[in-house]
């Protein structure tokens, strides 16, 4: 095994576990937790074949959650309100550095979460409405 292969495996290990840890945190915090867990598993499975068996179950759950998030007008409205709240909170935290964890690093994270939520909503809606559903 060459040193370049070792470096690639090391990078995949660090990046995959970082995505997994952030994804697990985002399961309880606002953000796309299942999506990041899936991304971490995909990165790890590329270099570590034993991880590949976990990819399909997580992919099915992520796609089911995407379908459920746009299954009714009430859920869509709730998700849009959550995205608007994240964007507003991000701006608020950004301009109020005296708040706990105040400042633009926290504000930017909240704004990014809101933008990602909107992007995932659009993706989920388009995927659900065009009939390219993943069974699960």
């Amino acid at each position: 095994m060459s040193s370049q292969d070792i470096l690639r495996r090391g990078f995949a290990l660090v990046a995959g576990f970082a995505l997994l840890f952030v994804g697990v945190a985002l399961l309880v915090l606002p953000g796309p937790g299942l999506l990041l867990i899936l991304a971490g598993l995909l990165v790890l499975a590329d270099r570590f074949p034993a991880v590949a068996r976990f990819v399909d179950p997580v992919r099915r759950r992520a796609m089911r959650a995407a379908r459920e998030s746009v299954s009714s007008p009430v859920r869509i409205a709730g998700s849009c309100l959550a995205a608007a709240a994240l964007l507003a909170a991000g701006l608020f935290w950004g301009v109020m550095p005296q708040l706990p964890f105040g400042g633009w690093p926290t504000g930017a994270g909240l704004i990014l979460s809101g933008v990602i939520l909107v992007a995932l909503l659009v993706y989920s809606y388009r995927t659900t409405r065009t009939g390219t559903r993943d069974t699960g």
Side-chain angles (χ1 to χ4, degrees):
M1 183 177 283
S2 71
S3 62
Q4 191 173 12
D5 287 338
I6 293 172
L7 283 174
R8 285 184 181 162
R9 285 179 67 96
F11 178 75
L13 188 67
V14 170
F17 274 111
L19 287 168
L20 280 175
F21 288 135
V22 172
V24 168
L26 289 179
L27 289 175
V28 295
L29 298 171
L34 277 176
L35 181 66
L36 286 178
I37 290 172
L38 178 60
L41 288 174
L42 288 171
V43 168
L44 290 171
D46 186 46
R47 293 287 173 188
F48 304 95
V51 177
R53 66 185 171 132
F54 299 108
V55 172
D56 283 335
V58 172
R59 180 178 289 144
R60 282 193 301 275
R61 285 197 65 169
M63 295 311 292
R64 184 171 54 237
R67 280 192 312 275
E68 289 172 359
S69 69
V70 294
S71 64
S72 73
V74 173
R75 286 185 181 224
I76 293 171
S79 296
C80 289
L81 287 173
L86 284 169
L87 294 170
L91 288 172
F92 187 72
W93 251 267
V95 298
M96 301 290 287
Q98 64 272 26
L99 291 173
F101 304 107
W104 283 111
T106 302
L110 290 168
I111 290 170
L112 181 61
S113 292
V115 169
I116 290 171
L117 177 57
V118 169
L120 289 174
L121 267 174
V122 169
Y123 170 78
S124 298
Y125 186 81
R126 285 185 174 179
T127 300
T128 301
R129 297 302 182 237
T130 58
T132 56
R133 296 181 185 182
D134 180 25
T135 58

